[in-house]
Amino acid sequence: MNLGAAPKDAGEHAELLEFDMDMDGFASNWAYCDRLSTYFARMISHNRSDSLLYSNLFSSALNELLETVYRLHAPSGRFVCSVARRGASERITLTVPVDAQTADFYRSAVSVLNDGDLASRYHTALFTDGPLQPNIGLLELAVDYAARFSIEPADGNAIRLIADLKLEETEA
Amino acid sequence: MIADTLVQTYKVSFDENNQELALSGSMRPEHGAEMEACIQLLERSIASIRGTFYINVKRLVRLNNVAFHALAGALLKAADERPDVRISIVTSSVIGWSTKKFGTLSAKNPRIAVEEYDSEFYPGQSFLEEGGFVPVLRTQTKLTWKHERSILPRHGLTPGATMADICCGIGDFAVLVAKEFAPSRIVALDHSKSSLAYARQVASEFDIGGIEYIYGDAAEMLLEDGQFDFVSCRHALQIFNKPEMIVDELVRICKPGGRVYVTNEKISQCLGEPRGPSIQWTYEQLSKLFADFDMDLEFGPKSYQALQKAGLEDIRIESFMVTNRDGDAQAFADMVMAWEEMFAGGMCEKRGDDAAFVEKFRRGFEDHIAAALHPGGYAGWPVWVASGRKPQ
Ligand SMILES: C[S@@+](CC[C@H](N)C(=O)[O-])C[C@H]1O[C@@H](n2cnc3c(N)ncnc32)[C@H](O)[C@@H]1O
């Protein structure tokens, strides 16, 4: 695993932190989702106006993304998670190895996220019995954290899923 | 294996007397089935109660959709099956996501209510948190710092320590400590949003980085266990009706081997000459006034025992007297003037005191101010400092 600050510039975003590891390593232990999201949240929140509140929100949001990737990815390849900042907003970029089926999932999930009436889709998904829909985390981010998603192809058989979040305005 | 780690990450308990199910910690299971034990306890608890069933999620810091889905299903089912029961979910604004998330349940079933717990829970203190208090805290800290900067090392504060200042108010103490002791980390927490806003503004105006100002309830902090070498809490145990709750929290976040440091007053011991008796009368009354609002401004000398009861060792206690002879008589007078406004103004009115009482009460403050500014006068305000070490 390679975990460290990467001070390079991502366009107008300043990159804060990047992590990469083999997908099969990441997907070998569910607890990585929690640990990574909590670690990232702590590292990036200290200079937000309320570090504890920010880190709670960020950890929740990132964890849902990581859980989604944990469940849906191609078996091998490199998984990269990076966080960059521009002013009040944070950009999470996940590079996920995919096969045809999982690529399809991410593409159609993101196109749904750009449709209207997400809140009712999200709430229906939350309260339906049986297993949870695999896109629940993405829906939650779009609805409760006003995340804006985009997706692009990445080198190898991979996609880059990008989520832009602005968490600080939720503070009273 | 995963289930094992999960068991350690959250706690669920039911308190029959309060009909309250408390969930705390981090719930991020991989599968809904891992929530089984928690759901069963929820179902058993709700079967045993009448009226209102409380669910306390104030300290449930993390919850993924898998866990929420399982909880939501059980709660909606319970609400359907028990139309006689009202379910009240108590959240905390400190968590950020929980009021919104649990709020979706009210939309599904109006008998599930979500209440956000906040500073309104301590109504007695409200005057101490409004804007008017800012200048008082500034002047107090300026005066106490003259003494405390040399006292702090005796109580274990060393450069480079990680420290937390709980009930930080407007944050001046954190700023002074940051300059003098260069701690490696400093977290300052208060539950007054206006004080924190002020603190952040001061820090940015004076370009003091690195202080993390955090909103939260000192009696139920979300800071993790055992993080800080030095945990301070100044002039705050005395305004809290259950100081032991805060002390336990201070001890909890302190590292084993680290120290908890508290300062408090015994306000009836304020003194001055000339006009000693008038001054003494007023401060004795002030102590009673606070007692009527459930606050114990006589706490200073009691702090030794409070730290002892919390299980600390190597307890050290001392007192110092802030006086008009410390080098800034005007600041001392300003502080007393601000006290007079707050206490003889706002607080007496709230208690419903008559004009004659208020006049006599004010006179003692004015005599104290006169003593401070008198060429031969002496005016004092005593403060008790106590600290103890958390056992290894
Ligand atoms: C008398 S002031 C002292 C402030 C500061 N320590 C100082 O010495 O200037 C007490 C502070 O405690 C804060 N406070 C009281 N109860 C609290 C609680 N339960 N949680 C967090 N802060 C609290 C108030 O908002 C206020 O800022």
Side-chain angles (χ1 to χ4, degrees), chain B residues 45-62:
Chain B
S45 317
I46 209 165
S48 74
I49 66 102
R50 297 185 196 189
T52 304
F53 181 55
Y54 290 95
I55 302 188
N56 175 344
V57 293
K58 288 190 294 191
R59 298 181 86 159
L60 184 61
V61 184
R62 307 204 272 272

Side-chain angles (χ1 to χ4, degrees), chain A residues 105-119:
Chain A
F105 162 79
Y106 285 104
R107 266 190 227 105
S108 63
V110 170
S111 79
V112 164
L113 297 173
N114 297 327
D115 277 2
D117 208 18
L118 284 185

Side-chain angles (χ1 to χ4, degrees), chain B residues 98-237:
Chain B
S98 62
T99 303
K100 200 189 261 176
K101 187 122 194 172
F102 286 100
T104 57
L105 288 165
S106 309
K108 295 291 281 182
N109 188 326
R111 271 184 296 106
I112 303 181
V114 175
E115 286 155 50
E116 189 168 270
Y117 158 99
D118 224 320
S119 56
E120 292 155 38
F121 281 63
Y122 308 99
Q125 298 172 3
S126 55
F127 350 54
L128 302 186
E129 290 164 21
E130 284 149 17
F133 206 48
V134 167
V136 189
L137 291 183
R138 293 228 94 154
T139 316
Q140 285 186 182
T141 307
K142 180 164 125 192
L143 293 170
T144 50
W145 182 249
K146 287 205 167 98
H147 299 264
E148 274 180 278
R149 71 189 297 181
S150 58
I151 289 175
L152 281 160
R154 289 206 283 280
H155 290 262
L157 183 59
T158 50
T162 52
M163 92 160 249
D165 186 36
I166 305 306
C167 300
C168 65
I170 55 166
D172 281 357
F173 180 72
V175 168
L176 291 164
V177 168
K179 284 190 190 154
E180 182 89 12
F181 292 91
S184 58
R185 181 177 184 213
I186 192 165
V187 164
L189 177 143
D190 203 281
H191 75 173
S192 158
K193 287 194 173 157
S194 57
S195 298
L196 288 174
Y198 189 91
R200 289 181 184 128
Q201 189 194 328
V202 169
S204 84
E205 269 170 28
F206 296 103
D207 198 23
I208 299 154
I211 302 175
E212 296 173 48
Y213 290 104
I214 288 178
Y215 170 69
D217 179 0
E220 275 193 289
M221 293 187 282
L222 295 171
L223 296 167
E224 284 160 36
D225 296 1
Q227 288 192 63
F228 300 101
D229 299 313
F230 195 83
V231 179
S232 57
C233 179
R234 302 173 57 265
H235 304 270
L237 297 178

Side-chain angles (χ1 to χ4, degrees), chain A residues 30 34 37-38 42 49-51 53 56 59-60 63-64 67 71 122-123 126-128 130 140 144-145, chain B residues 28-30 61-62 64-66 69 76 94-97 100-101 104-105 200 212-215 224:
Chain A
W30 176 255
D34 176 49
S37 54
T38 302
R42 264 193 212 135
S49 73
D50 191 315
S51 56
L53 179 65
N56 283 336
S59 166
S60 294
N63 180 63
E64 290 298 330
E67 290 189 6
R71 295 183 200 275
Y122 170 53
H123 294 143
L126 266 187
F127 298 118
T128 306
E140 178 181 24
D144 279 352
Y145 299 85
Chain B
R28 287 178 171 175
E30 182 175 1
V61 184
R62 307 204 272 272
N64 68 1
N65 279 308
V66 175
H69 185 243
L76 290 170
V94 178
I95 307 278
W97 51 264
K100 200 189 261 176
K101 187 122 194 172
T104 57
L105 288 165
R200 289 181 184 128
E212 296 173 48
Y213 290 104
I214 288 178
Y215 170 69
E224 284 160 36

Side-chain angles (χ1 to χ4, degrees), chain B residues 269-338:
Chain B
Q269 306 296 301
C270 276
L271 51 82
E273 289 297 343
R275 310 236 175 102
S278 154
I279 297 169
Q280 191 182 341
W281 183 85
T282 285
Y283 284 98
E284 279 163 3
Q285 292 304 317
L286 180 57
S287 166
K288 290 184 188 153
L289 177 63
F290 268 76
D292 285 338
F293 289 94
D294 263 345
M295 295 184 252
D296 184 7
L297 279 202
E298 300 292 291
F299 195 82
K302 301 175 190 171
S303 46
Y304 189 96
Q305 201 181 18
L307 297 186
Q308 197 175 44
K309 280 193 177 151
L312 296 177
E313 0 172 279
D314 184 25
I315 298 171
R316 302 172 195 167
I317 186 162
E318 61 187 289
S319 59
F320 63 88
M321 179 86 80
V322 172
T323 81
N324 64 328
R325 298 290 160 194
D326 292 347
D328 194 345
Q330 189 59 51
F332 191 98
D334 290 346
M335 171 179 79
V336 177
M337 233 176 278

